[in-house]
Amino acid sequence: MFKILDCTLRDGGYYTNWDFDKSLVHTYLSSLNNLPVDYIEVGYRSIPIKEYYGKYFYSPVYELQELKSLTNKKLVIIFNEKDIRVEHVADLLEPIIGIVDMVRIALDPQQLGRALKLAAEIKRFGFEVGFNVMYMSKWKQYGNFVEELSGLDGLADYFYMVDSYGGVFPDDVKQTMDLIRSKTDCKIGFHGHNNLELALINSLTAIDYGADIVDSTILGMGRGAGNLKTELLLSVLNTKYNMDIDFNAIGNVVEGFDQLLKKYEWGTNVPYMISGSNSLPQKDVMDWYTTRVYSLNSMVRALQNQKNNIKDNAQLPVFKPAKSYSTVLILGGGSNSVEHSKAIIEFINQTENIAVVHSSSKNASYYKDVQADQFYCLVGNEGHRLEKVFSDLGDFKGTCVFPPFPRKMGTYIPAQIHDSCFEFEQISFTDKFKESHSILALQTALELKAEDVYIAGFDGYQEASISQLERSLVEENEFLFQIFQETYAKDIVSLTPTRYKTLLSGSVYSLVC
Amino acid sequence: MFKILDCTLRDGGYYTNWDFDKSLVHTYLSSLNNLPVDYIEVGYRSIPIKEYYGKYFYSPVYELQELKSLTNKKLVIIFNEKDIRVEHVADLLEPIIGIVDMVRIALDPQQLGRALKLAAEIKRFGFEVGFNVMYMSKWKQYGNFVEELSGLDGLADYFYMVDSYGGVFPDDVKQTMDLIRSKTDCKIGFHGHNNLELALINSLTAIDYGADIVDSTILGMGRGAGNLKTELLLSVLNTKYNMDIDFNAIGNVVEGFDQLLKKYEWGTNVPYMISGSNSLPQKDVMDWYTTRVYSLNSMVRALQNQKNNIKDNAQLPVFKPAKSYSTVLILGGGSNSVEHSKAIIEFINQTENIAVVHSSSKNASYYKDVQADQFYCLVGNEGHRLEKVFSDLGDFKGTCVFPPFPRKMGTYIPAQIHDSCFEFEQISFTDKFKESHSILALQTALELKAEDVYIAGFDGYQEASISQLERSLVEENEFLFQIFQETYAKDIVSLTPTRYKTLLSGSVYSLVC
């Protein structure tokens, strides 16, 4: 009979910084006590790392003791092989002898040799040892690694195939198991990711093909597209393998983690599908998706660039405007730049030596007849939007600015405006971000040597209904406005109502006659 | 080469009543124009049905003409075999000749004979014909149906296996295809559901095994757990079959439907997994999940009852209280019944001949020392909550009331209180609902012959942050309060702050001294 290891806290910790609410952990353990799970992987044991990581990244002894008292399962912790050396082992493991049953090692297959030495040291303290070997879909490229597998015999209790990219298919699982079996007698495990919704069928295939253990997490909680869902695996085992399942226990634990799912929204989506089916790292996707506001299309393009090994698809002339402007008005995509467009257009027409900078092209069509010079910030997918907004770019008179080279999100340049496109040499007032609407607009204002900087249509969001993505955009913008104003001792005055706190409030109606 | 049919509007219509925003439909069609999809199934053509169903349930001619002008794909409509007879066909199909290319028939396999006659009539008007035969996982039980399959030859262009319950596995797909091929030469299609996240692998298996067509929908939009996701299928076809895919087109259409996903939240969950892996109809689950507020556990229990053919697991003595009370106070699970509990307890103690009815047991522990007679409404999973709230039910003195027999959500009775449990003979003031906290509480007030009915802890929800589930609960409660008050010409007075508009406002502080 195969075994099941639930690693919800360890893999879910990527979202929560490895801190989980105590009552949720209790619900988790008491529910799992009634379910046919054999091992619970709680988290990492780690040497100190600069940056805050929480409880289950370090898994202190008193915490493990408490968990031990609440569960009837075997407890597991994991080492990041890249950080842990043989000399760290005694300090990390001696205190948890008798509490934790198994220590796993997460490793790059190219470090198998080093990991074998680490495993020997772990074994010395009496723990079961599991090898979680990543990048399964690329193993065929690592010939040496396969030859070293015989070193596992007598040392590793489980050798895991980790489908890091979530891109393997059932046939790949079988082929890889054949490969492993030709080199070692070690028990085989499978850790699946769900980019292509194949985690279940791959895990069942592994089980049917004789695997000894599979990993899963509640609601699939885990980086990016997430893992095999424990509740799905158990539902199927109930009917397919006549395994007795307490669905009330499943109900309880799923309800507990459902709040976190609503908050962090892990699970697959188009960018994860693309990274999965092309064996591309999903770390970038996760960063783009959870902390920045990029359109799906920008992410798709960036991934396609990675796939095609295109760091960027065009190096453009550097933006060095010949002319300077005493006033720059930055227009955002908020509804206030439409609502008040009549007054804003009056303001533009009545102001001498003014340039208009479209941070987003969203509302640009309302301003297309304005006589002032206009600049368009084309981050990510914005070139497509420009084409949509101006159904005909034949007589386009504006200037388009792009982030500095190389651009992660790629470069889309509508064909008809190629001669009007420039990139920044650098972003001069912060290192923190390079590609966003606001940053391009502010950098443009700098390059145009504006004395007065106005902004309109940066409405902000209502606190009550703000999503996590919107919140991080607001935070990023507030940061940019502040650093810009501090660096250049220059106020940014908002001419329309705004919820941004770092902008100075003004009114377009006070400036027109 | 196999073909792809996208049926997002048809299958997604179950959520939107077959109405979709015009601009979304335009985005959908223009995106699909750039993707390797062959057929677009728009919706139903139907005879008039009492009840509102929208645009794509009837698919009027002018609408189909407009869609035709916007797409380069073949258009498809579908008939519900159970509603459409041979004599309806001319009226439904003559006007759309030359606009629509294929007519599909959704049918119960036991009606294959009747459907063959319908198909012959459809063919008379020159359409391609598809048979969408439901309940694939139960076909083995329909021996006769299989023998009739030869009737398809020369009549059906596609014969679809529809995995209605989302419970088949890749091997089942192959076996079923073998079965079909032994009886007919008709081209084979597969329509997968995603309860067990097997829609992709089942569809790929069908394709690899020679299927001629598969169905999918954007973001899997469709009843219950939903369908194979078009974007997932295409992502995989891109790498596995070297099919050229415009991911920007995918990005555009997915972004469009993402709003609807956030609103309707289709996709798999534990109840859908259980119904899928046990071939139980998911219609009930969808109703429970989208329109009523039942806990996951209640749904799981109800499904297990269905699976075990238990309509209900206990018939209880009918609730016929010997005593009547001049005042009944109904306590809800809102935070105001905790916040103001001191005053409420004073009110109870100072009022003669009062009964307390706990609509939810959530806050019941705050009232456990009150001397008045107390009643607990145990709908769905509430028995478990009662056990949680009172860690020891040994000296429980209350009376518990249950919905009338038979109960869809099952009956959980904590062992120690079995003698205190009763069920209602009927709900006497509405036929519309039978199982909810509020309905049990109001029925209890009736049975206790209350002259004055007070309520506390029914806080309602803040409009801004209300979820769809909460909104339907609020609407249901408002309806119940109103019908109760009208039927019995009796006010319900709320003693704590409430957002319910049908309750009369009072204050507990005005009633205690």
Side-chain angles (χ1 to χ4, degrees), chain A residues 197 229 247-248 300-301, chain B residues 194 197 229 247-248 297 300:
Chain A
E197 296 188 347
K229 297 176 175 77
F247 281 100
N248 280 316
V300 166
R301 178 163 308 104
Chain B
N194 211 29
E197 296 188 348
K229 297 174 175 76
F247 281 101
N248 280 316
N297 274 339
V300 167

Side-chain angles (χ1 to χ4, degrees), chain A residues 55-66:
Chain A
K55 197 188 276 182
Y56 300 109
F57 190 78
Y58 293 103
S59 308
V61 179
Y62 68 87
E63 182 64 31
L64 290 171
Q65 274 166 336
E66 188 183 341

